[in-house]
Amino acid sequence: MVQERTLPTFNPATTQITKEEGLRLYEDMVLGRLFEDKCAEMYYRGKMFGFVHLYNGQEAVCSGVVQSMRPGEDFVCSTYRDHVHALSAGVPAKEVMAELFGKATGCSKGRGGSMHMFSAEHRLLGGYAFVAEGIPVAAGAAFQSKYRREVLKDESADQVTACFFGDGAANNGQFFETLNMAALWKLPILFVVENNKWAIGMSHERATSQPEIYKKASVFNMVGVEVDGMDVLAVRAVAQEAVARARAGEGPTLIEALTYRFRGHSLADPDEMRSKAEKEFWFSRDPIKKLAAYLLEQNLADEGEIKAIDRKIQDVIDEAVKFAESSPEPDPSELYRFVFAEDE
């Protein structure tokens, strides 16, 4: 087991959260967790095909960032581990599940599958199979917001973009080139590194000369922040500050969230590279259990409310599976449709 980095400390007393906000964060994370658990079941039952990369364990990063933005207005750019990003962005669970089943009712009309979720309506810029592929796309979305506001004088164009990617992507050229441009142009964007310690089977510490990714922000004269990615309140606090800076025209932020995926790289991964000790260390820091405990301790919720949310979300997931199973396959006559924008 590689020596764990010292996780940044966060005092929840320094932030304010209402009961409504706390329960919303909890519900969002539970939705992500139960959805992914159901995906694993459906995959092993032969309902899904290809590669399926699950997000279990990393929910605090997605919920903490996206719920600090304006879902449906601000932009979210994902990776091949994109199901939960789509859900947090507001894409209905039934449309995400139908997409995983390859059905015509999916958010990408059955053409995207697990790694290419997209929804223009919900400002989800897409999932991307290639590592770091979404980083320049996200910068483009941020640039158009800035251009519309400053050049076209559209006062309503104050949208912020959140760009999610993994630690492996921080070694790719797109990362450095895009951060340089974003800093120069002061783009309204959050670069969110979900550092789960492993790029497939490659340990992060073995793959980069500077494991502390947030420190790379200094090269671009950009704000860089390290945060405990297993604590949704810590992520939320950092994200709120970054979103406020971006919306005020003060430029981008590089956020490195230290997190961990509870499953293998994909459902085809036997997960033999990671040690039992490492897994147990991170399993004990489950972000959903941590938030539930906090809500109970602070009298922001009781056991009944927590369990009611769990039951509610399980019903949503069950309904999503029924919807996906009963939805039609894409019509073969439309095989070449949607290749070009003119098709819609």
Side-chain angles (χ1 to χ4, degrees):
M1 177 177 173
V2 175
Q3 179 63 42
E4 296 288 353
R5 276 168 62 176
T6 301
L7 294 169
T9 58
F10 175 74
N11 181 2
T14 62
T15 188
Q16 292 185 333
I17 185 168
T18 65
K19 177 175 182 174
E20 181 182 5
E21 291 169 335
L23 292 178
R24 177 72 190 103
L25 287 171
Y26 180 78
E27 182 174 322
D28 196 51
M29 288 201 291
V30 170
L31 174 62
R33 177 69 60 84
L34 296 186
F35 186 93
E36 297 294 66
D37 286 345
K38 181 60 70 171
C39 284
E41 177 189 336
M42 294 295 105
Y43 180 87
Y44 292 128
R45 287 176 56 189
K47 300 290 186 178
M48 299 175 189
F49 305 93
F51 286 102
V52 177
H53 309 80
L54 300 187
Y55 199 75
N56 300 57
Q58 301 182 200
E59 296 90 354
V61 184
C62 181
S63 294
V65 172
V66 178
Q67 297 306 315
S68 297
M69 302 168 69
R70 300 174 187 163
E73 293 183 39
D74 291 329
F75 296 94
V76 174
C77 192
S78 188
T79 66
Y80 48 70
R81 204 178 301 279
D82 57 354
H83 315 158
V84 178
H85 293 145
L87 294 170
S88 286
V91 183
K94 63 181 184 179
E95 293 183 15
V96 179
M97 189 66 76
E99 187 59 39
L100 285 158
F101 276 54
K103 297 299 185 70
T105 54
C107 58
S108 297
K109 304 185 186 301
R111 290 159 168 78
S114 174
M115 294 190 282
H116 298 284
M117 297 286 170
F118 174 82
S119 177
E121 176 188 354
H122 299 95
R123 300 296 178 97
L124 179 68
L125 298 174
Y128 295 89
F130 290 120
V131 174
E133 184 183 10
I135 299 177
V137 174
F143 176 78
Q144 65 84 30
S145 293
K146 183 179 178 71
Y147 186 87
R148 284 170 47 220
R149 185 173 182 84
E150 297 184 1
V151 179
L152 302 182
K153 306 303 180 183
D154 181 356
E155 293 297 324
S156 67
D158 64 345
Q159 293 82 18
V160 172
T161 298
C163 178
F164 293 91
F165 51 95
D167 47 281
N171 294 323
N172 285 36
Q174 296 100 313
F175 170 82
F176 298 96
E177 294 172 25
T178 305
L179 264 68
N180 183 59
M181 288 192 292
L184 282 172
W185 297 339
K186 290 190 175 183
L187 298 185
I189 185 169
L190 280 61
F191 295 105
V192 185
V193 186
E194 300 187 282
N195 185 352
N196 62 25
K197 292 173 56 68
W198 292 87
I200 307 181
M202 173 58 73
S203 170
H204 174 60
E205 286 77 8
R206 292 182 58 199
T208 181
S209 57
Q210 172 50 284
E212 295 172 301
I213 300 172
Y214 76 100
K215 291 184 177 179
K216 297 179 182 181
S218 64
V219 177
F220 308 103
N221 196 27
M222 182 188 300
V223 176
V225 185
E226 178 188 40
V227 67
D228 181 355
M230 307 300 275
D231 185 339
V232 69
L233 297 183
V235 176
R236 174 178 174 268
V238 165
Q240 286 178 333
E241 291 183 7
V243 169
R245 279 196 299 270
R247 224 180 287 283
E250 297 173 7
T253 302
L254 174 62
I255 300 172
E256 181 184 7
L258 303 179
T259 186
Y260 200 73
R261 52 175 165 80
F262 287 174
R263 293 179 178 267
H265 171 68
S266 75
L267 287 175
D269 174 18
D271 196 21
E272 298 172 345
M273 301 298 293
R274 305 185 300 175
S275 71
K276 181 180 179 182
E278 178 181 287
K279 293 177 187 178
E280 289 179 347
F281 171 82
W282 287 94
F283 289 167
S284 68
R285 306 190 66 255
D286 190 313
I288 297 178
K289 293 179 180 178
K290 184 179 181 69
L291 178 61
Y294 175 82
L295 294 175
L296 294 172
E297 290 168 4
Q298 299 298 313
N299 295 316
L300 293 172
D302 57 40
E303 289 282 359
E305 289 171 307
I306 295 294
K307 291 180 180 178
I309 289 175
D310 294 342
R311 290 193 297 270
K312 170 186 172 182
I313 296 303
Q314 189 59 64
D315 290 343
V316 169
I317 301 303
D318 292 342
E319 184 60 36
V321 172
K322 292 179 182 177
F323 176 80
E325 289 181 323
S326 62
S327 292
E329 301 278 349
D331 194 307
S333 67
E334 295 192 337
L335 178 63
Y336 297 106
R337 195 178 176 202
F338 303 117
V339 174
F340 301 102
E342 293 79 4
D343 290 343
E344 181 57 277

